[in-house]
Amino acid sequence: MLTNAPKGTKDVLPAQVYKWHFVEQAFAEICAKYGFQEIRTPVFEHTELFARGVGDTTDIVQKEMYTFQDYGKRSITLKPEGTSPVARAFVEHKAYADVQPSKYYYNTPCFRYEKPQSGRLRAFHQFGIEVFGTNDMIADAEVICLAYDFLQNLGIKNVELQINSVGCPECRQAHRKALRDFLRPKYDELCDTCKDRYERNPLRIMDCKSEICQELVKGAPLMIDFLCDDCRKAFDDLKQNLTSMGIAFTVNPGIVRGLDYYTKTAFEFVTTSIGAQGTVCGGGRYDHLMEELGGPPIPGVGFGLGIERLLLTMEANGIQIPEPDAVDVFIAVMGDKAKAFGLKLLRQLRQEGLRAEMDSMARNIKGQFKYANRIGAKKTVVIGENELAEQKVAIKDMETSTQTQVAMDDMIKELIK
Ligand code: ATP
Ligand code: MG
């Protein structure tokens, strides 16, 4: 028990962490190129930030949140998603007073009490971006374009961009009525969760993971057919902008997204290469979130991208992430004097920017060479009493097994080379 991580969590061990560094750096670089700045928000927030009222009908808010009371009797929730905290910070720090739009990116852990399976964890990680302050579909297209280019640059091939519009509170009313009319005769067959959704937000039934419900909603009226003029024009603009940017997409009227606060644009990047949990990235527009939080009526658009699912997808695509060299120089020493000299040299080499290592397990010289091989040292420098007396050292190239004698004074220069 004590030595088992909780269900649905995963350690990233040193042998794998370079993959994380690689995608993290790639994401930071593309965000910088697109003019997004990093924001970091706390791992926990007031529960009300996520559960904003009785209207909430999402899985996340209804049954997936890690919520607890702290010693001050406040209800606290580990963040299940990245958008609300960024919106909260934006309002709290009055960032809307600056020149707009505001463009943020983040890399955050998320926590959801879900049924763990491949690509679905309880503690996972997301990259995300948000653009606040503009209604223009240029922003939506840019957000989608960033995700598209990010995935493309990483070499991911079999991923499809699907877009939809989920309308606005006005046009959703007519759709909601049509959807209820359609589902009324099937009401008794819906799962318990969807019976509740039927009353509160029937659109969410479209996103139910139960096969029975999926069957029942086949042929249901689609939101996309109920868009008001404003939402229809926005959707047309989005498609036009994506086309102008050369981005291929398909319209999938079934996309509703996992959170209630979405309006107009909804999109997903879906891959078939990692099984059932194929949505690598999902996002859309949320024009009323900021107001719901008690802030000014400022629109927003963004996405969340699951890092674990991204890495699974890259693996399924056979994409090799370059493994960094572990060790440049190993210092093999014989005798106490050599050890003292070696320690000094170890520090010097590191200050010169080299990854240098020395034995700390009291190995004999044969053991030290074996160890140097194990840790993948590119070169080994051998220092013993003789070498110190003659002010000469042997540098062994571990790959070619060739050895060169150099004067002590030239050693550092030689090693850096
Ligand atoms: P799903 O339909 O798969 O449950 P979602 O709609 O709940 O996804 P979002 O809230 O949009 O997902 O989160 C954005 C991204 O975060 C997803 O596209 C996915 O890549 C990732 N993600 C979501 N939930 C998990 C999880 N439990 N474990 C790992 N990654 C996740
Ligand atoms: Mg989910």
Side-chain angles (χ1 to χ4, degrees):
M1 203 37 195
L2 224 52
T3 52
N4 287 336
K7 196 172 159 185
T9 69
K10 260 201 185 130
D11 299 312
V12 181
L13 297 173
Q16 298 294 321
V17 82
Y18 71 94
K19 298 179 183 170
W20 287 72
H21 292 162
F22 183 84
V23 293
E24 282 166 354
Q25 199 188 332
F27 189 65
E29 277 171 12
I30 195 163
C31 286
K33 216 177 275 176
Y34 278 69
F36 287 76
Q37 288 184 303
E38 186 177 3
I39 184 164
R40 301 185 187 196
T41 65
V43 164
F44 60 83
E45 294 274 357
H46 292 298
T47 299
E48 299 80 4
L49 178 65
F50 306 110
R52 282 182 297 277
V54 288
D56 277 312
T57 54
T58 59
D59 282 354
I60 294 177
V61 175
Q62 288 192 325
K63 54 188 187 199
E64 293 178 359
M65 296 205 308
Y66 279 89
T67 297
F68 60 96
Q69 210 175 58
D70 71 7
Y71 290 114
K73 302 236 180 308
R74 282 171 289 261
S75 182
I76 293 294
T77 294
L78 303 184
K79 58 170 133 168
E81 50 112 358
T83 299
S84 305
V86 178
R88 194 264 311 137
F90 179 81
V91 175
E92 179 168 348
H93 300 284
K94 299 191 171 57
Y96 47 80
D98 299 337
V99 65
Q100 297 301 315
S102 296
K103 296 160 82 172
Y104 302 102
Y105 80 88
Y106 57 80
N107 171 358
T108 184
C110 291
F111 306 89
R112 298 184 191 175
Y113 191 78
E114 300 207 66
K115 203 168 140 218
Q117 48 199 292
S118 172
R120 195 177 288 289
L121 296 158
R122 291 183 174 172
F124 64 101
H125 300 79
Q126 275 187 0
F127 292 138
I129 66 170
E130 318 289 352
V131 179
F132 295 147
T134 174
N135 278 313
D136 198 302
M137 285 294 131
I138 285 184
D140 303 51
E142 257 204 308
V143 163
I144 292 174
C145 184
L146 192 152
Y148 187 92
D149 285 346
F150 178 59
L151 297 172
Q152 290 275 314
N153 292 350
L154 289 176
I156 295 171
K157 293 263 170 350
N158 46 2
V159 62
E160 185 179 71
L161 167 62
Q162 303 181 351
I163 64 168
N164 190 25
S165 174
V166 293
C168 64
E170 279 84 70
C171 49
R172 233 177 271 166
Q173 292 219 341
H175 174 250
R176 196 171 281 193
K177 185 175 175 306
L179 192 54
R180 283 208 185 100
D181 289 346
F182 175 85
L183 288 169
R184 191 163 297 124
K186 310 166 182 229
Y187 178 86
D188 289 336
E189 296 168 68
L190 291 171
C191 74
D192 287 347
T193 313
C194 283
K195 283 192 174 116
D196 182 54
R197 287 170 173 155
Y198 180 90
E199 304 301 337
R200 302 209 288 172
N201 185 359
L203 185 63
R204 293 230 50 80
I205 299 175
M206 309 288 287
D207 202 28
C208 184
K209 303 266 186 308
S210 138
E211 275 174 32
I212 298 171
C213 295
Q214 277 304 309
E215 200 56 40
L216 293 175
V217 296
K218 275 195 183 145
L222 300 169
M223 185 59 233
I224 207 169
D225 297 324
F226 286 78
L227 297 179
C228 62
D229 289 347
D230 184 38
C231 289
R232 160 81 38 211
K233 179 170 186 312
F235 196 47
D236 289 342
D237 283 351
L238 173 65
K239 289 187 279 192
Q240 182 59 55
N241 292 345
L242 291 175
T243 304
S244 300
M245 292 173 113
I247 294 172
F249 60 88
T250 56
V251 174
N252 176 358
I255 295 177
V256 299
R257 307 294 310 119
L259 293 152
D260 278 351
Y261 53 63
Y262 282 101
T263 48
K264 296 191 172 122
T265 309
F267 66 88
E268 293 186 352
F269 285 86
V270 185
T271 168
T272 46
S273 59
I274 57 168
Q277 319 307 326
T279 305
V280 178
C281 172
R285 174 164 282 278
Y286 41 87
D287 285 344
H288 306 292
L289 175 64
M290 216 76 84
E291 269 172 294
E292 276 184 36
L293 300 182
I298 290 174
V301 55
F303 69 68
L305 190 154
I307 304 180
E308 284 84 357
R309 277 191 212 175
L310 174 70
L311 291 170
L312 282 175
T313 307
M314 289 175 72
E315 210 169 289
N317 275 254
I319 297 165
Q320 296 285 335
I321 297 176
E323 236 175 298
D325 292 322
V327 178
D328 294 312
V329 184
F330 182 80
I331 303 167
V333 293
M334 286 171 289
D336 286 343
K337 265 199 200 135
K339 196 185 283 176
F341 183 86
L343 281 173
K344 189 173 146 211
L345 177 61
L346 183 64
R347 184 151 184 251
Q348 274 177 325
L349 292 178
R350 286 172 174 167
Q351 277 168 348
E352 291 289 346
L354 292 176
R355 284 155 297 189
E357 286 292 334
M358 201 172 124
D359 173 54
S360 62
M361 302 283 289
R363 291 181 173 91
N364 62 22
I365 191 69
K366 205 174 142 206
Q368 289 183 46
F369 269 107
K370 234 168 123 181
Y371 176 64
N373 260 322
R374 275 292 295 276
I375 61 175
K378 286 192 279 188
K379 288 176 184 167
T380 296
V381 34
V382 191
I383 301 161
E385 308 276 326
N386 284 347
E387 282 78 7
L388 289 180
E390 289 168 26
Q391 288 292 298
K392 260 186 176 170
V393 292
I395 297 174
K396 185 173 172 187
D397 185 310
M398 301 298 278
E399 251 165 60
T400 58
S401 277
T402 49
Q403 208 153 289
T404 17
Q405 298 281 337
V406 295
M408 200 69 99
D409 292 340
D410 300 331
M411 174 182 56
I412 292 187
K413 236 191 297 160
E414 191 65 28
L415 288 172
I416 290 172
K417 203 163 75 173

